[in-house]
Amino acid sequence: MTPSAADYGWAEGDPRLDAFCLSAVAGVAVEQVLEAFSVRPETEAAASFAGAFNDFPSSTYVVVDETPAGVVVVENNGWRGTDETVLANASRGGRVASYYRSVNADMRFVLAVDGDIRAVFDPLLDPVPAELSDAASGLGFAVESVEACSLALVERLTGIRLERDWLDEPHRRFEVPSPI
């Protein structure tokens, strides 16, 4: 079954997702992803999404989890997963779909495949790029929840699904260099 915006209806209005970045990585070992995101291995701790809030300029965190389909990197109030160098490095040998939104509804969707950035767009303001049109078929970015459409597109491109309960469960949290 093809993921749809309806599968992610829970994300619409979820206050935990006011500002976040989801990077889903398929076909790449977790060690490569951790290196690409420049995690500090010695800072590893268990934390939920809420327990990894990035309160700049203090510590900056990513929450990482391995799934059967690949690796999930989520940032609570962070945007490291929008850095094209990070995504290119994380995608070598695989693919990364990354979706970011800020509290001001600034948004960015990036697809990287085997080290190359293939598509970048703002799901709120821009049309879906031609490179993503087949994968985005049937997703109504203009009329449905942009959040739900973007999360469905991430899943369509990587096979990695973000479930609501995932946000409440403990995962591996790492400190990363602050972007500021």
Side-chain angles (χ1 to χ4, degrees), residues 1-12 14 16-17 22 135 137-140 144-157 159-167:
M1 189 162 103
T2 303
S4 70
D7 296 325
Y8 290 95
W10 62 266
E12 181 65 24
D14 189 322
R16 298 173 296 180
L17 299 180
L22 164 68
S137 178
L139 294 175
E144 295 182 274
S145 161
V146 172
E147 203 92 82
C149 289
S150 296
L151 293 173
L153 185 56
V154 166
E155 183 178 357
R156 288 180 180 190
L157 292 167
I160 297 171
R161 181 183 203 76
L162 181 67
E163 298 283 356
R164 172 184 250 162
D165 294 346
W166 189 94
L167 298 171

Side-chain angles (χ1 to χ4, degrees), residues 30-141:
V30 69
E31 294 79 16
Q32 178 180 329
V33 176
L34 296 175
E35 184 177 324
F37 275 80
S38 301
V39 305
R40 296 183 177 130
E42 69 279 4
T43 65
E44 182 175 350
S48 67
F49 179 72
F53 182 76
N54 290 310
D55 190 16
F56 301 103
S58 64
S59 298
T60 305
Y61 302 105
V62 295
V63 180
V64 179
D65 196 9
E66 291 180 83
T67 73
V71 180
V72 176
V73 181
V74 182
E75 303 165 69
N76 186 347
N77 196 37
W79 60 89
R80 189 167 197 77
T82 65
D83 183 293
E84 291 184 14
T85 301
V86 169
L87 297 178
N89 290 333
S91 73
R92 294 196 192 289
R95 68 177 34 221
V96 178
S98 177
Y99 170 63
Y100 159 79
R101 81 157 276 140
S102 75
V103 294
N104 298 320
D106 296 317
M107 297 182 188
R108 187 164 193 211
F109 193 102
V110 182
L111 174 66
V113 179
D114 198 19
D116 294 320
I117 303 301
R118 298 283 174 89
V120 179
F121 78 108
D122 180 328
L124 184 62
L125 303 175
D126 300 334
V128 174
E131 300 86 356
L132 297 175
S133 62
D134 287 345
S137 178
L139 294 175
F141 280 93

